[in-house]
Amino acid sequence: MQYGRFLLRRVVHSVFVIWGAATVVFMLRFLTPGDPVTALAPPDAGDEVRAALERRLGLDDPIHIQYFDYITDLMVGDFGKSMEVLDRSVLDWIFWTRFLRSVELAISATVVAIVIAIPLGVISARRRHTVSDYSATLFSLGGISTPNFWLGLMLILLIAVPVGFIPTGTPGPLLHEAVGDLLAGDPGTLGDWLRFMLLPAITLGTYFTALLTRLTRSGMLEEIGKAYVKATRAKGLPETLTMYRHVLRNTLIPIVTILGLQLGTLIGGAIITETVFEWNGLGQLLIERINARDWTMIQGIVIIIAIGFVTINTIVDLLYAYLDPRVMDE
Amino acid sequence: MAEPLLRVENLSTRFFTEEGQVNAVEGVSFEVEQGEVFGIVGESGSGKSVTALSLVDLVESPGRVTDGSVWFRKPDLAERIREDDPEAATEAVDGEMVDIRQLDENERRALRGTDFAMIFQDPTSSFNPSITVGTQIAEAVEVQRRAEANPRTLRSRTQGFGLMKFLTTSMVPTVDYVSEESRERAVELLDTVGIPDPAERATEYPYQFSGGMLQRAMIAQALASEPSVLVADEPTTALDVTIQAQILNTMADLQEEYGMTTVLITHNLGVIARMCDQVGVMYAGELVERGTLGDLFERPTHPYTKGLLGSSPSLEDATKRLQPIEGNVPSLLDEEMEDRCYFADRCPKAMEDCLQDPPEFDADGSQHHRAKCYLADHGYESALPEGYFDE
Amino acid sequence: MISDRVKASLKREFYQSRAAQVGLALVVIITLMAVFAPMIAPHDPTTQRVGTGDTAELTDLPPISPVPGHEFVGTREQSIVNETTGEFRNVQVEVPANASHPLGTNERGQDILSRVIYGARVSMLVGILGAALAAIVGVPYGLVAGYFGGRLDDGLMRIGDVMLAFPSLVLAIALIGVFRDSGFHTTDLPDPFVAAAQADAIPNILIPRSGHVATMPEATTFPVTVTLVVALVNWVWFARIARGEALSIRAEEYVTAARGLGASNTTILRQHILPNAITPIIVLATIQVAFIILLEASLSFLGFSGTNLTWGADIQQGRNGLSSGKWWVSTMPGLAIVLAVVGVNLLGDWLRDALDPGIQGESGGV
């Protein structure tokens, strides 16, 4: 009941934010110096050709009509067409595999981060001032201070080159293909998938792992100092249970929101990682289209990323409220 | 005379802080009979809360119990230690009494939540904010149930509840440490302590409770284990006056019903008068006077006890002016503490003897009445000159 | 604005924490390196030594090995002429390290140590200016939102939420895409030391190695767009922290008292709210400097910063050599970034531990 109201409020808010983001993206085009028609039209084009091009791009309408068209098109899932290759729509160009490649990379990195960071943070906090604590602290400091493109290059230099397999250039198979082949009795594709995924996932996941380790450690330490922990110990609950059922749980609740916001860094990192490993995903496409000054494509990609980001954050918030109902009372 | 249930001997707890060593509890000794309420009263900073935590072994770094014994009557445990390790038993076992301080950490932990339970001062911060009250009480019940089912293996209490289990229980809520029976028992307990509509309230979170209701819930949690000893650290301080009275009534009723032995920490003499059989007065980490309620209220020996009584308002004689105790609570920093009666600088009857640390003397009244004051030994003689401590 | 108690706490924490000392040392060293680059750098970082003949000897030099007996050896492709047939043939020749280029050279023969030293200029300047700019915009914005509350707060923070809908690097790339064709994409900042040394304006004694300094580049290319964009992408974090602080401080009794005495809103904001909100803002600013250095490096790695003399661009430049054994070209500037960011992060940890402003760890940072 109360949760339903909270859910509704949160969803309305995120729709508003997406609308705002779309408006910002729409305005980007008007900030660009230069006239797209001049850029696209052949140098010897007459006024007639120019006018036709302008009409085709929808630039002959007054600005508020253009804005209205843009928003309504977005609402029905039409992200426009490329400016450079006029027949190609944004969604067509992004197509499913590129999108999946980026998502797979991001999820793999997150999984790497969670699997490593939470145990590391817990160990670090519980064995404070021991060698394991210091190593974990040093690792996390290094992790949040290392630019991931450089880390990727170093991994190529130190691991891929000596091993003789550089997971760049030819993109590996997608996970669903790999799983399909595995079910059909061929584990080879999954092996390929792993070989291609391993270094990029580590590259992208390191910053996240380091950050999560730091947050888990400091959160655990803060939580352990609270009065309820003493009360929990007083009622005889074994230490492991006190740690996992109470302390770690309460530590992870606020971390969930922070991670939601940090997902932005992950997406940004994915763009860089894709560039380093020539990974054929959304980020690589964005860079390529920016260098081509293809504004409608850029707008399309940016707004798709923003929608994904806002959606994930909304889900995270809803999860948070489910875990800790106090936030609904705000 | 039968052995007391709890006998504390020369208990000392120190905190090793950056500023130096703090002697929070120093050489505290007292005995509590089965079914009695022993009250510890003192100003804030006198070390009474640390004493409570020392009893249940919950003093945390940088603090440590450095010395002394906590003898607890538990015949089966005493028997077991004698069988398992006769050598250790010569030190740690005395008849039916076991010195908790000499047990290993797991054994000590096993006593918490089964034989010892604790009620804390601030109920709102003593519950985990993100778990329902019912579940938290049910945890205490569960600890007790598992301990009863398998009294000898401590591991059964955890039952492999490690990281994997944490992950599975987070994702599959039906797999849980706490059993359905424990949850039902938790609701019964909430009912016992006078919480209306207990089944409904058990599913609520601590922030949905008022302070008084939450303190009742905490009492229910402490009762979950049917403890032999209940340590209550200022159970009513954080509450409104009207609620305080209700909570005290509840506690007194339950005390009568369950026949629990209670160590009650408070700074409120009214609470002491209402609840306690025996009383100890704490000052600067020491128990300066102890005895029956009558001993302390009618025949106070230590000038500090007299001062405390004089500084509390009384209903019978509302016209009487309150007599505040001059001066401040002394620093408990080891390097700043001289080897003398710590109260001497505020004492209206300071004597030359007081410059030495007084031992515990028998005082007038019951056989339990003892005071760390030379006045209990001899009369007021060779007074220190006025302003002696002003330097 | 900073009380004695805070100063004492900073000092105590500093003496106790080895990490804080290392952090401060790193930041000081790198800042000095950036400021006095023309005096420290052994060579002009932009001079190329390509072609044939003597200068070609200076391309692709490996760094000097720190361990004697384990010298690094690079390889270089060289054309040799067969005397009898007159045919050219390309062969790989081994290249030994050269003491005048301790960190080696890149394929254009530019000295990597000098480039690393000069690269500190852009990184530190963008990091500090970017964070300062973000704070100048974000802090008043957040203070006003938090202090006045209500509709205004809702409206202002909604705008902030919209900004947060974009991952910072994505927004930064898109904005740079927009602005890089404009005239102010980069600007040349003249180097005062070089100018002085060349003009003989000040006695040469005041500038060490003035003959050397005079041959250094006269100006540093400063990426204006990148600085503006990183500020634009990050001001929201300052606004959020400032708003949270203002929201809690305005409920304090002394604010009520000041209002009761007839103080204007501006006075209250300036004299009561800002000074009490300043500690978490300082901590956030430090973390932001670290983050912006990384962001700037990413942008120049992608080739968006408009200048080549940055750590990120140098890493990009050395990328092709990685598989052919020229590992040092990318490695050295990367190490410089790591050291700089580690230093700033350690400073941030020190400030946070000492001031304990109760902001949620790194949450506000990125």
Side-chain angles (χ1 to χ4, degrees), chain C:
Chain C
M1 216 186 280
I2 292 170
S3 68
D4 288 344
R5 194 180 56 80
V6 170
K7 278 183 201 151
S9 150
L10 278 173
K11 216 181 271 179
R12 193 176 54 236
E13 191 68 33
F14 183 75
Y15 287 126
Q16 279 174 4
S17 157
R18 179 64 50 85
Q21 294 161 6
V22 172
L24 190 70
L26 281 173
V27 171
V28 166
I29 290 172
I30 290 168
T31 311
L32 289 178
M33 224 163 79
V35 173
F36 298 108
M39 288 125 183
I40 302 166
H43 302 275
D44 181 334
T46 56
T47 308
Q48 302 190 6
R49 300 170 186 88
V50 283
T52 48
D54 291 346
T55 52
E57 297 293 306
L58 291 174
T59 59
D60 290 330
L61 289 180
I64 293 172
S65 165
V67 189
H70 292 274
E71 267 72 33
F72 297 128
V73 177
T75 56
R76 181 191 302 142
E77 208 172 58
Q78 217 167 45
S79 304
I80 49 169
V81 189
N82 188 320
E83 295 287 342
T84 47
T85 61
E87 278 175 359
F88 282 93
R89 193 158 59 93
N90 284 345
V91 289
Q92 296 287 326
V93 292
E94 292 201 337
V95 184
N98 182 331
S100 75
H101 299 279
L103 296 187
T105 57
N106 60 21
E107 59 186 5
R108 297 173 191 160
Q110 294 165 322
D111 179 51
I112 290 178
L113 176 62
S114 306
R115 290 187 72 81
V116 165
I117 291 171
Y118 264 87
R121 288 194 152 179
V122 171
S123 283
M124 295 310 273
L125 208 57
V126 172
I128 293 167
L129 275 185
L133 220 55
I136 289 170
V137 177
V139 170
Y141 188 96
L143 287 182
V144 165
Y147 178 70
F148 291 103
R151 287 262 171 79
L152 183 68
D153 181 29
D154 279 351
L156 290 178
M157 289 333 280
R158 288 270 156 81
I159 295 175
D161 285 348
V162 170
M163 296 298 293
L164 285 178
F166 303 101
S168 44
L169 189 71
V170 174
L171 187 58
I173 289 176
L175 286 173
I176 286 181
V178 170
F179 289 120
R180 70 170 159 182
D181 296 328
S182 60
F184 56 89
H185 186 39
T186 57
T187 184
D188 280 350
L189 297 179
D191 189 319
F193 299 111
V194 179
Q198 284 177 349
D200 274 331
I202 338 174
N204 283 348
I205 298 165
L206 285 182
I207 300 178
R209 308 174 67 201
S210 71
H212 173 74
V213 170
T215 65
M216 290 309 221
E218 287 165 27
T220 309
T221 310
F222 174 69
V224 181
T225 323
V226 170
T227 313
L228 292 178
V229 162
V230 294
L232 200 60
V233 166
N234 285 308
W235 66 271
V236 191
W237 298 106
F238 286 94
R240 281 166 74 105
I241 291 277
R243 171 185 176 264
E245 290 296 308
L247 211 57
S248 64
I249 295 168
R250 72 163 182 180
E252 298 279 338
E253 310 240 325
Y254 57 81
V255 175
T256 321
R259 209 177 287 135
L261 289 171
S264 72
N265 286 328
T266 340
T267 317
I268 293 176
L269 272 170
R270 217 182 41 232
Q271 296 196 339
H272 297 286
I273 311 267
L274 181 62
N276 285 296
I278 201 79
T279 35
I281 292 171
I282 289 175
V283 174
L284 174 65
T286 318
I287 300 168
Q288 280 283 323
V289 170
F291 180 64
I292 290 176
I293 291 177
L294 286 178
L295 192 58
E296 188 276 332
S298 304
L299 290 170
S300 38
F301 175 75
L302 294 173
F304 288 148
S305 79
T307 161
N308 288 323
L309 195 47
T310 67
W311 293 335
D314 276 358
I315 293 175
Q316 173 69 282
Q317 218 238 318
R319 205 176 139 187
N320 295 329
L322 284 181
S323 46
S324 56
K326 289 159 198 156
W327 51 271
W328 57 91
V329 188
S330 281
T331 308
M332 298 305 169
L335 285 176
I337 297 178
V338 173
L339 289 179
V341 178
V342 162
V344 178
N345 273 327
L346 287 176
L347 274 193
D349 287 352
W350 164 48
L351 290 175
R352 192 184 50 234
D353 291 346
L355 308 173
D356 191 30
I359 61 173
Q360 283 179 328
E362 293 72 32
S363 61
V366 186

Side-chain angles (χ1 to χ4, degrees), chain A residues 2 114-115 118-119 122 223-250 252-253 321-329, chain B residues 53 56 58-60 109 112-114 116-118 120 122 125-131 135-137 139-140 143 154 157-158 161-163 166 169 173 176-178 183 205 207-208 218 221:
Chain A
Q2 194 196 8
I114 290 174
V115 168
I118 292 178
V122 171
E223 207 65 30
I224 286 173
K226 287 190 176 166
Y228 78 83
V229 177
K230 197 172 266 191
T232 310
R233 286 180 178 149
K235 68 187 178 193
L237 207 64
E239 194 64 13
T240 6
L241 270 175
T242 308
M243 285 299 148
Y244 291 124
R245 258 180 89 88
H246 293 269
V247 177
L248 183 57
R249 194 189 138 105
N250 283 7
L252 291 184
I253 291 172
Y322 174 76
L323 290 173
D324 187 356
R326 279 174 301 169
V327 297
M328 289 191 290
D329 272 19
Chain B
L53 292 175
V56 289
L58 280 176
V59 178
E60 278 165 18
R109 188 180 299 146
R112 287 206 298 267
T114 49
F116 285 78
M118 184 148 181
F120 291 88
D122 182 5
S125 65
S126 298
F127 275 98
N128 183 340
S130 58
I131 296 185
T135 306
Q136 296 190 56
I137 297 173
E139 278 179 353
V143 168
L154 292 162
R157 294 196 186 186
T158 333
F161 200 99
L163 186 61
F166 168 73
T169 52
D176 200 351
Y177 172 76
V178 176
R183 287 183 192 280
Y205 290 86
Y207 75 101
Q208 290 166 306
M218 176 122 67
Q221 181 172 289

Side-chain angles (χ1 to χ4, degrees), chain A residues 121-150:
Chain A
V122 171
I123 291 168
S124 194
R126 290 190 64 185
R127 310 204 183 134
R128 215 180 162 184
H129 302 310
T130 62
V131 177
S132 31
D133 180 24
Y134 291 134
S135 337
T137 310
L138 203 65
F139 160 74
S140 54
L141 177 68
I144 61 163
S145 308
T146 307
N148 60 2
F149 56 91
W150 185 69

Side-chain angles (χ1 to χ4, degrees), chain B residues 306-376:
Chain B
K306 287 181 189 161
L308 268 189
L309 293 169
S311 61
S312 310
S314 127
L315 264 186
E316 285 97 68
D317 192 2
T319 54
K320 201 181 86 183
R321 254 186 88 82
L322 294 182
Q323 295 286 326
I325 307 174
E326 303 275 328
N328 287 318
V329 187
S331 153
L332 296 180
L333 266 180
D334 188 56
E335 57 194 54
E336 289 174 19
M337 291 176 95
E338 293 159 52
D339 204 14
R340 59 164 166 88
C341 171
Y342 301 136
F343 188 62
D345 55 343
R346 299 167 77 185
C347 184
K349 290 187 175 174
M351 305 179 287
E352 274 174 15
D353 281 354
C354 302
L355 297 177
Q356 290 149 23
D357 194 17
E360 245 185 355
F361 295 104
D362 279 325
D364 293 345
S366 77
Q367 51 169 337
H368 296 292
H369 194 187
R370 318 195 100 223
K372 266 193 172 180
C373 180
Y374 289 102
L375 287 174

Side-chain angles (χ1 to χ4, degrees), chain A residues 94-95 98-99 101-102 271 274 279-287 301 304-305:
Chain A
I94 287 173
F95 56 85
R98 257 181 205 278
F99 183 71
R101 254 179 234 295
S102 293
I271 294 177
E274 285 179 11
W279 188 268
N280 204 0
L282 219 50
Q284 175 111 333
L285 184 66
L286 177 64
I287 305 285
I301 297 168
I304 284 172
I305 292 176

Side-chain angles (χ1 to χ4, degrees), chain A residues 40-107:
Chain A
L40 284 174
D44 57 344
D47 283 350
E48 216 168 291
V49 178
R50 293 178 60 90
L53 200 55
E54 198 170 30
R55 219 173 16 257
R56 181 128 188 217
L57 292 171
L59 298 174
D60 54 340
D61 290 325
I63 205 168
H64 61 273
I65 303 282
Q66 285 186 39
Y67 175 68
F68 182 78
D69 285 348
Y70 179 70
I71 298 289
T72 43
D73 282 353
L74 276 188
M75 277 157 79
V76 295
D78 178 2
F79 291 84
K81 286 189 161 68
S82 163
M83 250 164 85
E84 198 189 41
V85 187
L86 284 175
D87 294 332
R88 199 152 188 198
S89 82
V90 170
L91 283 183
D92 190 28
W93 201 329
I94 287 173
F95 56 85
W96 194 224
T97 46
R98 257 181 205 278
F99 183 71
L100 271 188
R101 254 179 234 295
S102 293
V103 170
E104 275 183 12
L105 178 60
I107 291 178

